[in-house]
Amino acid sequence: MSLAMQITRRARLAGLMGEGIAVLPTSPELARNADTQFPYRFDSSFFYLSGFGEPEAVLVLFAGDLRRSLLFCRNKDVEREIWDGFRYGPDAAREQFGFDEAYPIDELDKMMPSLLENQPKLYATLGADPAWDSRLIGWLNEVRSRARTGVQAPKEILDLRSLVHEMRLFKDESELATMRRAGQISRDAHARAMSFTRPGQFEYQVEAELIHEFYRNGSRFPAYTSIVAGGANACVLHYVENNAELRDGDLLLIDAGCELHGYAADITRTFPVNGKFSAAQKDVYEIVLAAQYAAINAAKPGNTWNMPHDAALKVLVQGMLDLKLLQGSVDSVIESESYKQFYMHRTGHWLGMDVHDVGDYKLNGQWRELQPGMVLTVEPGLYLRPADNVPPALANIGIRIEDDVAIVAGGNEVLTAGTPKTVAEIEAVMAGQG
Ligand code: GLY
Ligand code: MN
Ligand code: MN
């Protein structure tokens, strides 16, 4: 991603603000235990606007006549860099990331009250982090305490997220290229997992294959904790223990995607542990697959957010009736929502730097229209738990099929295309013929 891109984004944001100041910190570091940290992940919006990936950094942006952008970041520190590695320091960061000014993060408390002085509006992210909120309020109170010198604190505090999230919802060509590559790496990871899976292996051994494929292609993290769920575990929607033995005759549901340069892929595939679908598994699988195709066909410009979900739901409900899981008509089942016993989640979400990405789903109370540049997942499923009195042959079948879809002029592009998906494709890959 080029430096010019973040400068352009900051300029666009300043234009949307019109006037005032925006303040946006990156994410804090998180302790895993004692003095060990979780791998660091920057705040997505901060990185989107700055390109700067170090912790302990704050972006300050002035709109209007004053238009300029400031970065607060860690100082160079020869001693710390011996232990923890390179840090830019303000001077190099200003140059490298195209800021007008950069200062040591240690100066933040001293400088912020003056920066806030006489700004008509403050754009902030109140509610994201209580510790940050109280610092911000402290700076505002410091400005107010100087009122007799003639300065004023911002009269309006507005939500910075609403502006940045709307920008992030529309991906440009370079973002789409990154997401396409993340989709391809994740595609290969799923194919690798299918080739590897055999009865008697443990879910974590299959997970290791996914991670191997991510890492060896330059993705340093899964975009979210991988779900590797054999048999009944597939009916636990957020199953992440991944520690059970895989049994002959069961299905394996894998929901896994890599993060590449800050962008997520999100793929689910479900396949037989022994490489061959049983008749009952195939019946259910074909229903979910038909629902997914129907939803993908409905993901196009001019349609609204809800239309892929509605298209998938009709197919799934007809399938529930055909399998005799429910009685009635498609309309009556949708009306009563009795389908939620077997399909309890929605058909997708926005996808981008966050796996459940930002962006409003409704505008003025109406499902929003799909437009080129938006990226969403399409992920129908069916979850048949014995507790729901399903016929024994169908019990513990949990199936979800998920792809990542970019809306383009006239239709869509499946960013995760090529991930084995039909019964024939999956069985061929598992037989070593894919
Ligand atoms: N992997 C998270 C989701 O599918 O929403
Ligand atoms: Mn998803
Ligand atoms: Mn998923």
Side-chain angles (χ1 to χ4, degrees):
M1 211 154 286
S2 74
L3 162 63
M5 188 157 290
Q6 278 88 25
I7 296 176
T8 307
R9 288 175 185 158
R10 294 197 290 268
R12 273 183 57 211
L13 176 59
L16 294 168
M17 290 163 59
E19 56 179 358
I21 180 173
V23 187
L24 178 64
T26 193
S27 298
E29 292 175 288
L30 279 180
R32 182 169 186 275
N33 65 310
D35 57 355
T36 302
Q37 311 279 326
F38 279 108
Y40 182 68
R41 171 55 156 73
F42 45 73
D43 173 78
S44 295
S45 291
F46 176 87
F47 191 79
Y48 178 82
L49 292 166
S50 68
F52 189 70
E54 291 183 18
E56 297 187 84
V58 174
L59 165 70
V60 175
L61 191 67
F62 290 95
D65 297 339
L66 278 176
R67 189 178 289 196
R68 62 198 166 112
S69 60
L70 283 57
L71 178 73
F72 287 84
C73 66
R74 300 180 304 190
N75 261 325
K76 293 291 290 174
D77 182 334
V78 174
E79 179 65 18
R80 283 301 342 146
E81 288 182 57
I82 289 171
W83 291 87
D84 301 333
F86 175 79
R87 37 176 88 175
Y88 277 94
D91 290 340
R94 184 191 63 243
E95 190 131 323
Q96 182 72 29
F97 297 92
F99 285 91
D100 299 304
E101 299 165 37
Y103 300 97
I105 189 75
D106 297 341
E107 302 283 310
L108 190 68
D109 284 323
K110 201 170 85 204
M111 290 180 64
M112 273 313 299
S114 318
L115 295 173
L116 289 163
E117 272 179 11
N118 298 326
Q119 289 300 317
K121 295 176 178 170
L122 165 61
Y123 285 87
T125 51
L126 290 179
D129 174 5
W132 175 258
D133 292 352
S134 72
R135 272 179 95 183
L136 198 57
I137 290 165
W139 298 327
L140 288 169
N141 284 339
E142 207 171 315
V143 182
R144 291 181 188 118
S145 75
R146 296 183 201 156
R148 271 164 293 169
T149 68
V151 299
Q152 291 186 334
K155 295 218 173 349
E156 285 182 72
I157 301 180
L158 295 146
D159 194 13
L160 179 61
R161 283 164 292 213
S162 61
L163 301 183
V164 181
H165 291 183
E166 190 66 13
M167 290 172 67
R168 282 175 52 192
L169 178 57
F170 293 89
K171 279 74 179 174
D172 63 27
E173 271 313 315
S174 122
E175 292 178 287
L176 287 173
T178 303
M179 293 188 75
R180 198 175 289 121
R181 182 68 194 129
Q184 289 164 352
I185 295 170
S186 305
R187 169 199 69 194
D188 292 347
H190 277 262
R192 183 185 183 105
M194 285 176 195
S195 304
F196 175 84
T197 296
R198 296 284 177 275
Q201 274 153 351
F202 283 78
E203 292 164 342
Y204 52 75
Q205 293 177 309
V206 179
E207 184 180 14
E209 296 298 309
L210 298 165
I211 293 172
H212 181 100
E213 195 66 25
F214 293 167
Y215 277 32
R216 76 184 202 91
N217 284 292
S219 153
R220 303 301 313 284
F221 312 100
Y224 52 91
T225 307
S226 305
I227 296 171
V228 183
N233 296 335
C235 294
V236 180
L237 295 178
H238 292 160
Y239 176 80
V240 288
E241 273 89 2
N242 299 355
N243 60 4
E245 188 172 347
L246 297 173
R247 293 187 322 193
D248 199 349
D250 278 352
L251 291 173
L252 175 60
L253 181 153
I254 298 180
D255 184 344
C258 74
E259 179 175 305
L260 187 69
H261 309 319
Y263 287 82
D266 184 7
I267 302 181
T268 306
R269 286 294 183 268
T270 311
F271 54 92
V273 168
N274 65 15
K276 281 295 255 185
F277 284 88
S278 72
Q281 289 166 350
K282 196 164 156 180
D283 287 345
V284 183
Y285 192 87
E286 295 291 5
I287 292 166
V288 179
L289 185 60
Q292 208 231 14
Y293 285 137
I296 291 175
N297 282 336
K300 59 184 181 189
N303 277 1
T304 57
W305 166 259
N306 216 36
M307 288 166 83
H309 175 68
D310 289 344
L313 193 55
K314 279 205 181 96
V315 177
L316 291 175
V317 169
Q318 182 62 57
M320 292 177 206
L321 296 173
D322 295 345
L323 293 171
K324 307 213 178 324
L325 294 166
L326 294 172
Q327 262 98 54
S329 66
V330 170
D331 288 344
S332 70
V333 168
I334 291 177
E335 171 78 23
S336 69
E337 300 190 345
S338 54
Y339 65 83
K340 285 192 173 171
Q341 213 179 348
F342 307 111
Y343 183 49
M344 57 298 278
H345 58 77
R346 292 188 55 87
T347 305
H349 48 83
W350 301 132
L351 183 73
M353 299 186 78
D354 297 325
V355 64
H356 296 162
D357 206 31
V358 296
D360 289 331
Y361 291 93
K362 283 189 171 180
L363 293 179
N364 304 318
Q366 303 292 322
W367 294 115
R368 75 186 296 165
E369 204 175 292
L370 298 174
Q371 291 170 22
M374 293 172 162
V375 180
L376 59 144
T377 66
V378 177
E379 49 178 308
L382 280 176
Y383 310 93
L384 311 183
R385 291 164 303 179
D388 292 321
N389 292 324
V390 301
L394 300 179
N396 292 323
I397 293 182
I399 293 174
R400 180 165 64 254
I401 307 173
E402 175 174 29
D403 282 297
D404 304 343
V405 174
I407 306 296
V408 303
N412 65 53
E413 176 190 349
V414 179
L415 300 173
T416 47
T419 314
K421 185 154 77 166
T422 64
V423 165
E425 284 167 356
I426 289 172
E427 290 186 347
V429 168
M430 296 191 73
Q433 295 154 4

